[in-house]
């Protein structure tokens, strides 16, 4: 059976007919199925409705290969049949209504253009007709999957049974894997792209030594792009790269790995655009870039970062990679090879950049490359203009207009975020003044563009940038909330805090967006906790606390950011927080996000009196809260802020629930810190110890405290410090107190001259000097004892 009969008889498209032909050959060879059955199967598939086609295939495969093998093949076949459309069948996709949320996930589509050829790409947005021409200009090589001969297939089946079915020691396993890999010479592509044997090949690459691994990769380096773009071969390529990364931890392996990677890179750069735009090849190429940089291949920071991690960085709850200088988790890398690979990719991609900007998989490769180049300013100065589509190093008016349109595309909006994250300051300045100026609010209103604005705000470098953004967004907080673009406001507040600019103005704008002029401040915190519930309410004047509703994630993060600001700017928020009713406060504590807001308030610069006013409202519920995962942290913070009598109340409510508390994750730590068992046995002694601790602490503060020291009525600090931090703080206090004393003695005694006539400098009582003196004394005493023994 050939492709012709499949097209003419069953009216399958050419690419589908070819794939089905390969599948049928595979079934005939491996399962000894009669050709009549395969012909019958195609007849049934072609006659079935498109909606029932996957079920029909599943039933046929159950008969053909058995129920045990079905899970191994069904995913491959169903993806294929999903694209099988009888000629003339309408595949238009109805987008439906737009949801009012912050998501920009693209709708599920077939690879490339939609079925109705409406001019939408995989990123989910419209683009001009010239993009279709660009897509056609991207070279794609068609490969015909070659079948593995039966004798080789049988050999690797036996190898699979040996290495997976029995327990063998590492040396023997390595030897078996090495010998098996030698049998792959000249057949690497066929074996790597075979669905069943590829799994065995992955096991061999994990178990062999470095020389055998590099030999295999060098033998198939010219075909590495082809293997990477295959559904099965891509897993083999990923496994090989991970094995290379693991061997880099060993000594004296860098040269061999570097030679191997050089061969692979040179093969990739022959036609990198084809690999980039392939769903399998894109992932392999990103792993290769990570390996060259020396970062973990499965790092979410460089492949596809979770939205929660991005949000934490934008709101200053987690250090960004740029702030960390990209040093965390680094292994041995090859920076020159990384620069070469990225440079060659961009050189080849320049003519197809308009297509790559909106292609889902191509955009991901460009994002990874930019993030890995963080810190290499020269390379970034070269790469960013190319990715933006500039003809030179400057952004002209035509490019600006096109960029503003592209930022409303899912794929390019992610790409622009990566650019803003790593852009050198001069590039960032040009982008904000040339591209974004006078367009910030319009962009913030778009479901994709608002994420780009968040990235722009969170990476602001100085007060001038904040001032420019404030002029366009400062008076539009209420409008942004009304459109559901809460992240823009949250990012702006975090940027103001990071740069110590416009903090007071930002707080006032935030209050004005949720509270009318005549309303008391007590309504501020509840409305921010339930941002979406409040702003989507038609009758806002009669809005009330929605019992049982989940608190808004961004709203809780905004309040956490607020309570990190200087106290002179947040009096209204503190007043609203302390005015919460008891049942509302309890609901807040039981919510994961709400509990963090209370913790942020208890660790803020608010007075101890205001904090304890809040804690008192939780009386009778501390035991209940200690059992909850979120509530346990709140109880911990409440104990830190409380005085002795309030601490006793907290502990007394937890005594009866010791068993339940100990079973929770935070429970054992909480029981030890609060000494619940000690209180249960002897409450008087427990109270005496707490009083003594507080007294000692207050005495220390009164003796060594400086003008900058903040007196706190409670014993423990808001954040528990480690022993090392406590010792370091104590040394600082002692140095502060001793400095005036030493200076006074120096003036009194004057400078003494040494015997050689030189003046003795200031005596510094440092840790190293003291250790040197002690060391000299010990060595002198040791020599004296040794001399005495000889005598």
């Amino acid at each position: 059976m050939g492709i012709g009969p499949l097209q003419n008889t069953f009216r399958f498209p050419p690419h589908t007919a070819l794939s089905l032909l390969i599948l049928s050959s595979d079934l005939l060879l491996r399962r000894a199925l009669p050709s009549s059955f395969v012909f019958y199967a195609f007849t049934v598939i072609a006659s079935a409705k498109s909606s029932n086609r996957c079920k029909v295939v599943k039933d046929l495969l159950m008969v053909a290969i058995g129920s045990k093998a079905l899970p191994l093949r069904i995913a491959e076949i169903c993806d294929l049949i999903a694209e099988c459309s009888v000629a003339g069948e309408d595949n238009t996709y109805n987008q439906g209504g737009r949801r009012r949320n912050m998501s920009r996930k693209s709708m599920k589509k077939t690879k490339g253009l939609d079925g109705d050829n409406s001019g939408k790409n995989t990123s989910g947005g419209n683009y001009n007709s010239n993009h279709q021409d660009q897509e056609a200009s991207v070279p794609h090589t068609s490969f015909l999957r070659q079948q593995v001969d039966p004798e080789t297939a049988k050999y690797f089946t036996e190898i699979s049974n040996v290495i997976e079915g029995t327990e063998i020691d590492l040396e023997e396993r390595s030897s078996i894997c090495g010998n098996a890999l030698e049998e792959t010479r000249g057949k690497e592509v066929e074996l790597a792209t075979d669905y069943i044997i590829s799994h065995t090949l992955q096991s061999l690459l994990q178990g062999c030594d470095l020389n055998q691994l590099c030999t295999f990769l060098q033998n198939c380096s010219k075909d590495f792009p082809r293997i990477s773009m295959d559904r099965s071969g891509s897993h083999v390529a990923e496994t090989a790269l991970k094995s290379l990364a693991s061997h880099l931890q060993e000594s004296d392996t860098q040269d061999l790995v570097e030679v191997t990677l050089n061969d692979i890179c040179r093969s990739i750069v022959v036609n990198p655009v084809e690999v980039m735009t392939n769903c399998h090849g894109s992932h392999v190429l990103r792993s290769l870039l990570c390996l060259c940089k020396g970062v973990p291949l499965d790092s979410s920071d460089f492949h596809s970062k979770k939205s929660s991690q991005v949000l934490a960085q934008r709101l200053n709850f987690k250090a960004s990679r740029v702030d960390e200088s990209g040093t965390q988790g680094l292994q041995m890398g090859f920076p020159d090879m990384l620069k070469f690979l990225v440079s060659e990719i961009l050189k080849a991609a320049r003519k197809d950049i308009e297509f790559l900007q909106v292609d889902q998989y191509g955009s991901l490769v460009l994002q990874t490359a930019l993030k890995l180049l963080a810190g290499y300013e020269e390379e970034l100065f070269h790469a960013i203009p190319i990715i933006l589509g500039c003809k030179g190093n400057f952004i002209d008016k035509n490019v600006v207009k096109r960029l503003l349109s592209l930022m409303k595309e899912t794929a390019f909006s992610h790409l622009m975020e990566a650019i803003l994250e790593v852009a050198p300051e001069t590039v960032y300045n040009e982008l904000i003044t040339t591209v974004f100026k006078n367009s910030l609010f319009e962009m913030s209103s778009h479901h994709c563009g608002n994420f780009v604005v968040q990235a722009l705000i969170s990476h602001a470098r100085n007060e001038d940038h904040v001032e420019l953004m404030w002029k366009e967004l400062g008076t539009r907080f209420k409008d942004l909330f009304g459109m559901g673009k809460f992240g823009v406001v949250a990012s702006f507040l975090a940027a103001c805090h990071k740069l110590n600019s416009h903090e007071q103005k930002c707080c006032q704008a935030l209050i004005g967006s949720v509270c009318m002029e005549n309303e008391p401040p007590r309504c501020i915190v509840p409305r921010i906790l339930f941002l979406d519930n409040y702003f989507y309410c038609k009758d806002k004047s009669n809005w009330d606390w929605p019992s049982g509703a989940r608190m808004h994630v961004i709203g809780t993060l905004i309040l956490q950011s607020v309570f990190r600001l200087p106290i002179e700017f947040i009096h209204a928020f503190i007043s609203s927080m302390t005015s919460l009713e008891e049942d509302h406060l309890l609901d807040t504590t039981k919510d994961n996000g709400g509990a963090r807001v209370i913790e942020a308030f208890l660790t803020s610069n608010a007075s101890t009196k205001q904090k304890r006013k809040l804690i008192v409202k939780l009386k009778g519920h501390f035991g209940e809260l200690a059992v909850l995962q979120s509530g346990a942290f709140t109880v911990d913070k409440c104990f830190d802020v409380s005085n002795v009598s309030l601490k006793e109340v907290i502990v007394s409510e937890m005594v009866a629930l010791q068993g339940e508390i100990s079973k929770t994750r935070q429970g054992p730590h909480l029981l030890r810190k609060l000494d619940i068992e000690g209180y249960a046995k002897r409450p008087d002694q427990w109270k005496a110890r707490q009083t003594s601790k507080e007294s000692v602490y207050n005495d220390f503060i009164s003796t060594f405290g400086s003008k900058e020291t903040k007196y706190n009525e409670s014993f423990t600090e808001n954040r528990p410090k480690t022993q090392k931090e406590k010792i370091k703080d104590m040394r600082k206090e002692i140095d502060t107190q001793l400095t005036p004393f030493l200076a006074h003695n120096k003036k009194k005694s004057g400078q003494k001259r040494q015997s050689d006539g030189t003046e003795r400098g200031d005596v510094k009582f440092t840790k190293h000097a003291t250790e040197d003196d002690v060391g000299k004394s010990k060595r002198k005493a040791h020599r004296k004892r040794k001399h005495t023994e000889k005598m």
Side-chain angles (χ1 to χ4, degrees):
M1 186 183 293
I3 296 178
L6 284 175
Q7 286 186 255
N8 300 327
T9 306
F10 304 111
R11 298 178 66 81
F12 286 129
H15 68 283
T16 303
L18 178 62
S19 300
L20 285 173
L21 179 63
I22 294 169
L23 168 65
S24 64
S25 303
D26 188 24
L27 291 174
L28 288 168
L29 283 171
R30 294 191 174 283
R31 299 291 170 182
L33 297 174
S35 59
S36 58
F37 176 83
V38 177
F39 187 87
Y40 165 75
F42 289 157
T43 305
V44 175
I45 293 170
S47 61
K49 293 182 179 179
S50 58
S51 57
N52 298 330
R53 209 160 274 166
C54 280
K55 184 178 183 301
V56 170
V57 173
K58 209 179 279 189
D59 294 338
L60 290 170
L61 285 176
M62 182 75 76
V63 176
I65 63 179
S67 59
K68 290 186 178 180
L70 180 60
L72 298 177
R73 304 307 296 266
I74 195 61
E76 178 182 354
I77 308 305
C78 283
D79 285 349
L80 172 65
I81 299 304
E83 298 177 4
C84 296
S85 303
V86 179
E89 188 173 316
D90 185 14
N91 291 329
T92 54
Y93 181 82
N94 182 20
Q95 181 174 345
R98 182 184 300 175
R99 294 174 58 192
R100 294 189 71 180
N101 59 12
M102 297 183 63
S103 175
R104 56 174 165 183
K105 291 182 180 178
S106 58
M107 298 172 294
K108 283 190 176 182
K109 298 182 176 67
T110 55
K111 296 172 186 176
L113 297 178
D114 293 341
D116 61 350
N117 295 324
S118 59
K120 289 184 180 179
N121 66 344
T122 54
S123 70
N126 296 325
Y127 60 95
N128 300 327
S129 59
N130 63 329
H131 287 116
Q132 298 180 21
D133 299 333
Q134 276 299 121
E135 183 182 21
S137 70
V138 178
H140 290 282
T141 308
S142 298
F143 296 111
L144 180 63
R145 190 193 302 268
Q146 299 179 8
Q147 295 299 309
V148 180
D149 62 89
E151 185 178 348
T152 304
K154 183 180 178 181
Y155 170 76
F156 280 98
T157 301
E158 294 173 355
I159 289 294
S160 176
N161 294 333
V162 170
I163 63 177
E164 295 177 7
T166 57
E167 293 185 3
I168 53 179
D169 58 38
L170 291 176
E171 291 186 5
E172 186 179 355
R173 181 184 179 85
S174 177
S175 176
I176 293 173
C177 291
N179 293 334
L181 282 177
E182 289 181 4
E183 297 297 323
T184 66
R185 189 181 295 271
K187 307 173 186 177
E188 293 89 358
V189 178
E190 294 88 332
L191 296 173
T193 56
D194 182 275
Y195 185 81
I196 295 175
I197 298 178
S198 63
H199 290 84
T200 305
L201 197 55
Q202 286 179 251
S203 300
L204 297 177
L205 293 172
Q206 290 171 333
C208 66
D209 61 34
L210 179 62
N211 289 324
Q212 296 160 342
L213 172 64
C214 291
T215 299
F216 172 84
L217 286 173
Q218 288 171 8
N219 289 339
C220 68
S221 61
K222 292 183 179 179
D223 296 308
F224 192 83
R226 179 180 173 183
I227 293 172
S228 301
M229 291 185 288
D230 182 80
R231 183 172 301 174
S232 299
S234 61
H235 293 284
V236 175
E238 288 271 1
T239 301
L241 294 178
K242 288 179 180 178
S243 297
L244 274 181
S246 64
H247 283 294
L248 276 175
Q249 305 301 320
E250 305 168 6
S251 57
D252 302 329
T253 61
Q254 188 172 7
D255 292 341
L256 183 56
V257 173
E258 188 172 7
V259 170
T260 305
L261 286 178
N262 185 58
D263 291 346
I264 294 173
C265 290
R266 292 190 178 279
S267 175
I268 290 284
V269 299
V270 172
N271 189 2
V273 176
E274 184 179 10
V275 182
M276 291 169 67
T277 54
N278 178 274
C279 60
H280 308 296
S282 171
H283 200 281
V284 175
L285 184 50
R286 282 177 274 154
S287 295
L288 178 61
L289 288 166
C290 289
L291 180 57
C292 292
K293 174 70 173 181
V295 300
L297 271 62
D298 54 355
S299 172
S300 61
D301 277 347
F302 299 98
H303 271 285
S304 55
K305 194 185 295 183
K306 294 180 180 178
S307 58
S308 57
Q309 294 176 332
V310 175
L311 192 60
Q313 289 182 2
R314 287 181 180 169
L315 302 186
N316 303 334
F317 292 111
K318 179 184 177 182
S320 68
R321 180 173 48 258
V322 177
D323 294 336
E324 294 170 347
S325 301
T327 57
Q328 290 193 350
L330 279 181
Q331 304 167 355
M332 185 179 293
F334 307 93
D336 291 336
M337 193 173 297
L338 171 69
K339 295 174 184 177
F340 163 76
L341 182 56
V342 175
S343 174
E344 292 299 314
I345 288 174
L346 292 174
K347 188 186 299 182
R350 185 186 285 271
K351 63 179 180 179
D352 300 309
I353 198 64
E354 291 186 4
F355 169 70
L356 293 173
Q357 287 171 336
V358 294
D359 179 75
Q360 178 184 356
Y361 304 110
S363 172
L364 286 171
V365 174
L366 295 175
Q367 290 172 49
T368 300
L370 285 168
K371 293 172 184 177
L372 292 172
L373 287 176
Y376 301 127
E377 290 206 355
E378 185 177 347
E379 284 70 25
L380 288 171
F381 277 122
H382 172 71
I384 292 175
I386 295 176
I387 295 173
L388 291 177
C390 302
K391 294 182 179 179
N393 292 327
F394 299 100
I395 306 173
D396 57 35
K397 292 182 180 180
N398 294 329
V399 173
V400 170
K401 186 177 179 180
R402 185 170 179 277
L403 289 177
L404 290 174
S405 175
L406 281 173
M407 279 185 273
K408 297 177 181 179
E409 303 283 341
T410 302
F412 187 78
S413 66
H414 284 290
L415 183 56
M416 195 66 188
E417 289 178 50
I419 291 172
L420 293 170
E421 181 181 353
V422 302
E425 188 166 353
T426 53
V427 177
Y428 182 93
N429 286 333
E430 186 176 2
L431 285 171
I432 194 173
T433 55
T434 307
V435 179
F436 289 97
K437 190 176 181 180
N438 300 324
S439 302
L440 286 175
F441 182 73
E442 179 189 352
M443 196 61 59
S444 300
S445 308
H446 192 267
H447 69 279
C448 287
N450 83 92
F451 289 96
V452 180
V453 175
Q454 290 180 45
L456 179 77
I457 294 171
S458 62
H459 294 103
R461 313 300 169 88
N462 52 54
E463 294 183 15
D464 293 337
H465 295 157
V466 178
E467 175 63 26
L468 185 151
M469 292 182 282
W470 172 259
K471 288 179 180 178
E472 297 187 42
L473 300 175
T475 58
R476 310 301 294 269
F477 280 11
K478 190 171 184 177
D479 297 329
L480 291 169
F481 280 152
M483 292 183 292
K485 304 303 180 281
F486 310 109
V488 177
V489 178
S491 299
F492 198 96
L493 181 63
C496 291
H497 174 245
K498 182 174 69 174
L499 298 172
N500 298 320
S501 174
H502 293 71
E503 294 167 296
Q504 186 174 7
K505 291 181 180 179
C506 195
C507 287
Q508 290 172 348
L510 184 58
I511 294 170
S513 64
V514 297
C515 187
M516 305 294 286
E517 292 182 6
N518 317 347
E519 291 182 296
R522 64 180 304 164
C523 65
I524 297 173
V525 168
R527 291 178 182 178
I528 296 179
L529 286 174
F530 297 98
L531 266 179
D532 56 344
N533 190 291
Y534 172 72
F535 277 96
Y536 295 158
C537 176
K538 293 181 180 179
D539 187 8
K540 293 183 174 57
S541 58
N542 292 323
W543 182 88
D544 197 9
W545 184 282
S547 298
R550 186 178 179 183
M551 293 179 179
H552 195 260
V553 175
I554 302 295
T556 59
L557 291 171
I558 287 174
L559 287 174
Q560 291 176 57
S561 298
V562 164
F563 288 122
R564 293 187 296 172
L565 298 175
I567 190 172
E568 57 268 23
F569 305 145
I570 60 173
H571 287 300
F573 295 92
I574 293 172
S575 175
S576 180
M577 195 73 187
T578 55
S579 300
L580 285 176
E581 298 176 10
E582 291 184 14
D583 55 339
H584 294 171
L585 181 62
L586 189 61
D587 287 347
T588 305
T589 311
K590 291 181 179 180
D591 185 271
N592 288 334
R596 289 185 172 88
V597 172
I598 294 176
E599 293 166 32
F601 172 73
L602 293 175
T603 55
S604 69
N605 293 324
S607 67
T608 305
K609 182 179 179 181
Q610 291 169 321
K611 294 176 183 179
R612 289 176 185 171
K613 182 180 178 181
L614 187 78
I615 295 171
V616 169
K617 293 181 181 181
L618 292 173
K619 277 187 178 181
H621 301 286
F622 289 111
E624 174 188 357
L625 295 174
V627 178
L628 301 175
Q629 183 175 356
S630 59
F633 291 96
T634 306
V635 172
D636 194 348
K637 292 292 187 294
C638 289
F639 186 84
D640 290 345
V641 177
S642 301
N643 55 20
V644 175
S645 60
L646 203 50
K647 286 179 180 178
E648 188 175 8
V649 172
I650 296 172
V651 174
S652 62
E653 293 181 16
M654 296 172 60
V655 170
L657 297 172
Q658 286 187 76
E660 294 182 39
I661 295 171
S662 63
K663 296 176 184 178
T664 63
R665 184 175 181 180
Q666 186 71 4
H669 164 75
L670 200 59
L671 293 174
R672 285 193 304 271
K673 178 179 177 178
L674 275 59
D675 192 14
I676 306 295
E677 188 177 353
Y679 178 84
K681 292 179 179 178
R682 296 184 177 180
D684 293 338
Q685 288 189 5
W686 180 92
K687 188 174 181 179
R689 284 196 298 272
Q690 295 297 326
T691 305
S692 176
K693 288 178 181 179
E694 186 169 344
S695 176
V696 170
Y697 176 77
N698 289 332
D699 289 344
F700 175 83
I701 291 296
S702 61
T703 305
F704 298 103
S706 60
K707 292 181 180 180
E708 292 77 22
T709 305
K710 293 183 178 179
Y711 290 85
N712 194 337
E713 297 177 25
S714 61
F715 163 63
T716 56
E717 294 184 15
N718 291 333
R719 181 183 65 81
K721 292 187 177 182
T722 63
Q723 187 67 18
K724 186 176 180 180
E725 288 175 330
K726 291 178 181 178
I727 294 172
K728 186 176 180 180
D729 290 345
M730 192 177 292
R731 281 176 178 157
K732 286 182 179 178
E733 291 290 344
I734 293 171
D735 289 342
T736 303
Q737 298 296 327
L738 285 178
T739 300
F741 172 76
L742 294 173
H744 176 71
N745 286 350
K746 176 182 174 182
K747 289 179 180 179
K748 191 172 181 181
S749 59
Q751 289 185 330
K752 296 182 179 180
R753 290 187 174 273
Q754 298 183 18
S755 57
D756 59 357
T758 60
E759 291 185 348
R760 181 179 299 179
D762 295 345
V763 179
K764 295 184 179 179
F765 293 87
T766 63
K767 176 182 175 182
H768 299 293
T770 307
E771 288 177 351
D772 290 343
D773 292 341
V774 172
K776 289 178 182 178
S777 301
K778 287 183 178 180
R779 288 194 294 272
K780 187 175 181 180
H782 178 71
R783 286 197 298 269
K784 188 174 182 180
R785 284 197 302 271
K786 193 172 182 181
H787 179 72
T788 305
E789 289 172 0
K790 287 182 180 180
M791 295 284 292

